[in-house]
Amino acid sequence: MIDYRKEADQIKDEIISNRRTIHRFAETGFDLAQTKAFVKETLASYGIEPKDCGKSGVTAVIGEGDRCILLRADMDALPMKEESGLDFAAENGNCHSCGHDSHAAMLLGAAKLLKRHEQDLKGKVKLMFQPAEELLAGAEDMVKNGLLEAPKVDVGFGMHIISGASPVSDVGNIAFVKGFQTFSGDFVKISIEGLQAHGSMPHKGVDAINIAAHIVTALHELSAHEVTNEERSVVLVGKIYGGSSCNTESGECVLEVSVRAETFETRQFLKQRVKEISEGIAASFRGKAIVENVYGMPPMYNDPSMTDIVPGYIRELVGEDRVTEVFSKTGTEDFAYVSERIPSMYVLLGTGSIAGDGIVQHNPSIILDEDAFPLGTAIYAHTATRWLEEHC
Ligand SMILES: [Zn+2]
């Protein structure tokens, strides 16, 4: 068996240097000109041919064969001023406070090692360097632009650093969640059309604000009355606007609604109910509701076909007790677009608590322990190699 831990340790300085370079660029969203160019140049220097995918993603394939595993890293920073005090801190007003710089560098390290052992791979490894994770838009853009085709991808594997949450975040610890890991997030817009009556005939009008009030009340009861209390969900009307003056009925009113759920089924159910309730209430008051899904993303799902075997691969690298199942379910993660389409898994890599416990991702003072990076590289390379060995 190839000793990826040892080989990753041997290129530790290079992984750290790549990470610091990307860290300084600190580009956000889809605007990753320097970051993307650096990733492509580095891949090319390893003898790997990079390909553009979508607005600013990069893919590359290593190995040959029928089956293919996708390894994913994101590359974007956040629009916040860095406060880490590090000598390689970004100076452009953005900050890699979610650690995506380290994800990209660790995957570059894995690319180098996998290329070195390409002849031993039993199938293909597809690398995914994605933009705009923080906008929850980069993975979707890459999927729509053929990420999972040519070559067709069978399974996906992603990683995220976790800092400032000891003991889970201690260097050398790996955590994973079985099943659903993050919430879905949908933005639904409800445009209510009433009829503004004129002069002395208000009874001929249809008041859109009155309809909106009934809809708001009904929507806020949905989670409590129609979703099992074993599952958390949210239907929140976060914004409402309409009407023109205090003494006329309103001809229009708009509600902006956030729908969040833990499972694919509940997400679909709630969105369907928001539509039915809004249209039904509006119709019963002689108005009309137009319900529009503005954007949304599924919850991220760790497939049992992966969670049953991948922790075993990682234990081969770090031993039995460093890999633990956790139950925390937080935030959103746009790797969900991949996990909705192919069996996938996502793990959390401990990167210490140098800046203190509680200073976690998205905090501009976060400092990652770079000693953790070779392990991340080894996990990417070893997981891909072992999955291909057992499935080809
Ligand atoms: Zn992140």
Side-chain angles (χ1 to χ4, degrees):
M1 199 183 287
I2 299 158
D3 189 346
Y4 280 117
R5 230 97 198 225
K6 191 170 140 206
E7 295 197 20
D9 279 336
Q10 287 163 352
I11 61 164
K12 179 178 177 181
D13 290 347
E14 184 175 341
I15 300 167
I16 291 174
S17 160
N18 288 343
R19 181 262 173 155
R20 291 184 179 189
T21 300
I22 297 169
H23 189 91
R24 268 191 218 99
F25 292 152
E27 295 173 299
T28 60
F30 286 103
D31 303 321
L32 305 181
Q34 296 179 89
T35 308
K36 186 181 154 185
F38 178 76
V39 165
K40 288 174 74 174
E41 273 163 32
T42 307
L43 289 171
S45 77
Y46 299 154
I48 301 164
E49 187 192 346
K51 284 208 170 80
D52 293 333
C53 179
K55 286 182 199 163
S56 37
V58 176
T59 62
V61 178
I62 302 167
E64 278 180 20
D66 293 336
R67 310 300 299 281
C68 181
I69 180 169
L70 181 82
L71 299 180
R72 178 266 201 167
D74 36 19
M75 310 185 277
D76 55 319
L78 281 150
M80 56 170 70
K81 193 176 175 307
E82 179 157 358
E83 291 168 14
S84 67
L86 293 165
D87 58 9
F88 56 91
E91 290 170 353
N92 63 350
N94 297 327
C95 177
H96 262 295
S97 54
C98 202
H100 299 183
D101 52 339
S102 70
H103 304 163
M106 291 188 288
L107 187 56
L108 283 173
K112 179 171 187 159
L113 302 184
L114 288 165
K115 185 67 184 175
R116 184 187 287 170
H117 297 289
E118 190 168 28
Q119 300 307 321
D120 298 318
L121 290 173
K122 305 291 183 217
K124 289 192 282 279
V125 180
K126 191 168 195 173
L127 310 175
M128 169 190 188
F129 292 91
Q130 79 152 82
E133 195 286 322
E134 300 294 354
L135 303 180
L136 303 177
E140 184 181 29
D141 181 65
M142 289 184 77
V143 167
K144 283 181 175 164
N145 284 282
L147 172 73
L148 303 178
E149 305 302 325
K152 188 180 160 302
V153 176
D154 296 296
V155 296
F157 178 76
M159 196 174 346
H160 204 296
I161 58 98
I162 177 168
S163 274
S166 62
V168 175
S169 61
D170 291 356
V171 172
N173 283 351
I174 313 297
F176 69 99
V177 174
K178 282 185 178 171
F180 290 97
Q181 182 167 353
T182 62
F183 292 91
S184 66
D186 284 278
F187 168 24
V188 181
K189 187 173 175 185
I190 304 167
S191 303
I192 301 159
E193 292 176 2
L195 179 68
Q196 197 166 14
H198 294 288
S200 59
M201 307 261 282
H203 59 290
K204 296 286 186 190
V206 175
D207 186 1
I209 286 179
N210 179 48
I211 294 173
H214 283 82
I215 292 175
V216 170
T217 306
L219 295 188
H220 281 172
E221 288 171 2
L222 256 178
S223 285
H225 292 280
E226 299 194 23
V227 179
T228 163
N229 55 14
E230 264 111 64
E231 200 179 319
R232 287 173 291 174
S233 65
V234 176
V235 179
L236 171 75
V237 181
K239 192 169 171 185
I240 177 167
Y241 47 97
S244 50
S245 68
C246 74
N247 58 357
T248 51
E249 290 183 325
S250 171
E252 82 295 306
C253 186
V254 177
L255 306 177
E256 294 187 1
V257 185
S258 166
V259 179
R260 308 198 68 193
E262 283 189 32
T263 62
F264 298 129
E265 294 74 21
T266 302
R267 178 193 186 206
Q268 287 317 320
F269 172 75
L270 286 174
K271 283 167 69 180
Q272 183 60 29
R273 291 294 289 141
V274 166
K275 184 171 159 64
E276 288 166 0
I277 286 169
S278 303
E279 290 175 349
I281 288 176
S284 69
F285 284 102
R286 296 176 296 144
K288 191 177 171 191
I290 297 157
V291 181
E292 185 189 346
N293 292 310
V294 182
Y295 63 76
M297 58 171 310
M300 203 194 68
Y301 182 63
N302 294 301
D303 194 273
S305 70
M306 295 292 278
T307 55
D308 285 352
I309 54 173
V310 172
Y313 300 156
I314 301 174
R315 287 188 178 108
E316 291 167 356
L317 291 172
V318 296
E320 275 300 313
D321 42 348
R322 304 308 297 261
V323 184
T324 49
E325 184 185 348
V326 292
F327 300 94
S328 85
K329 211 171 272 185
T330 52
T332 41
E333 161 58 62
D334 91 341
F335 190 54
Y337 284 107
V338 173
S339 81
E340 191 184 37
R341 287 164 178 81
I342 54 170
S344 297
M345 185 179 177
Y346 187 82
V347 300
L348 301 171
L349 174 77
T351 45
S353 302
I354 291 178
D357 260 324
I359 306 212
V360 299
Q361 297 82 259
H362 291 212
N363 185 317
S365 300
I366 194 171
I367 297 176
L368 310 190
D369 191 332
E370 295 178 319
D371 284 344
F373 298 167
L375 177 57
T377 284
I379 289 171
Y380 273 130
H382 184 74
T383 297
T385 303
R386 294 285 289 117
W387 188 87
L388 290 170
E389 270 172 18
E390 291 191 351
H391 296 85
C392 294

